[in-house]
Amino acid sequence: MTAPTLAYESDLATIWLGDARDVLPTIPKESVDLIVTDPPYSVEWQSRRRAESFEQLLGDGDNDDDRAVISAVLTQCVRIVGQNRHLYVFGPAEALAGQKVSEVVELVWDKGMLGSGDMTAAWGPQHERVSFCTSKFRHAGETGKANVPTRLRKGSVLSFTRPTGRKVRHPSEKPWPLLAELIESSSRRGDLVVDPFAGVGSTGVAAILTGRRAVLVEKDPRWLPIAVERIKAAEAIALQGVAA
């Protein structure tokens, strides 16, 4: 297994090229404020609707090995996120099975348009599930709860139009305003947000543009140049706001 490589580092963001199973163990326990991530969970997604089709994502297979990798990464996420702090994991809730977290609440991302899938079916997919939960990592007997910022009693349907056409840089890219909604609902300015399946860095962009910091990990080198470029652009915007 190739050792992780530091692809980019600044005061606001750190980007690693490598396996999250190697990177996350180097992060101290309960030192992170929020996890927002989209694992390649048994989708086997491959584009056939673009002039240049995307190849299948690394780790995006419906088999026990890929699921075990994702489970191991999420275990590390639970370890590093603060007590009673939040995790948002795109995909089926079963990805969090067996983790030391609270009961999972399922949110729904309404994409605003039909997605890909079986084009012969009468109904097309227009939504994606997001699992929300709280870390319960500490052993029994430890006291104290983090004063977690959150917008209480919000609706469970999040309506944000997904990227389309030439704006699509990654086959499972999420719109950064959607991620900003999650980040602002579960963290404060200056907090640290981690995404171990970073893709083209949308979580990092959302974190920086909402005044947070980000650590991103991505093992597929195809996406790193795009992620770095987007993070630098978001930092430039954020710095302009500070200067103003």
Side-chain angles (χ1 to χ4, degrees), residues 81-125:
V81 75
Q83 170 73 346
N84 294 305
R85 299 305 295 260
H86 298 161
L87 300 91
Y88 293 95
V89 181
F90 283 78
E94 64 187 80
L96 287 160
Q99 302 292 345
K100 296 180 180 179
V101 296
S102 66
E103 182 178 355
V104 173
V105 175
E106 186 172 282
L107 310 179
V108 174
W109 169 33
D110 175 8
K111 302 179 180 182
M113 60 183 67
L114 296 182
S116 58
D118 183 358
M119 303 304 292
T120 65
W123 298 88

Side-chain angles (χ1 to χ4, degrees), residues 72-216:
V73 172
L74 293 179
T75 296
Q76 285 296 323
C77 288
V78 174
R79 183 188 69 83
I80 65 176
V81 75
Q83 170 73 346
N84 294 305
R85 299 305 295 260
H86 298 161
L87 300 91
Y88 293 95
V89 181
F90 283 78
E94 64 187 80
L96 287 160
Q99 302 292 345
K100 296 180 180 179
V101 296
S102 66
E103 182 178 355
V104 173
V105 175
E106 186 172 282
L107 310 179
V108 174
W109 169 33
D110 175 8
K111 302 179 180 182
M113 60 183 67
L114 296 182
S116 58
D118 183 358
M119 303 304 292
T120 65
W123 298 88
Q126 188 175 312
H127 74 282
E128 190 168 329
R129 292 176 287 177
V130 188
S131 296
F132 166 79
C133 60
T134 301
S135 170
K136 299 292 183 184
F137 187 84
R138 287 181 181 170
H139 298 292
E142 295 191 35
T143 60
K145 289 187 176 181
N147 182 19
V148 181
T150 185
R151 300 172 182 173
L152 299 177
R153 304 302 299 170
K154 296 189 70 175
S156 60
V157 178
L158 304 161
S159 298
F160 292 88
T161 303
R162 67 177 178 85
T164 59
R166 295 182 180 274
K167 295 180 181 180
V168 178
R169 290 157 287 211
H170 186 280
S172 62
E173 183 178 349
K174 304 297 182 287
W176 76 261
L178 164 64
L179 301 172
E181 177 80 359
L182 304 180
I183 290 169
E184 289 189 311
S185 293
S186 293
S187 64
R188 299 183 184 85
R189 295 183 68 85
D191 277 356
L192 179 61
V193 182
V194 169
D195 184 351
F197 300 101
V200 290
S202 298
T203 297
V205 171
I208 291 168
L209 293 180
T210 56
R212 280 72 170 170
R213 297 170 293 126
V215 172
L216 309 176

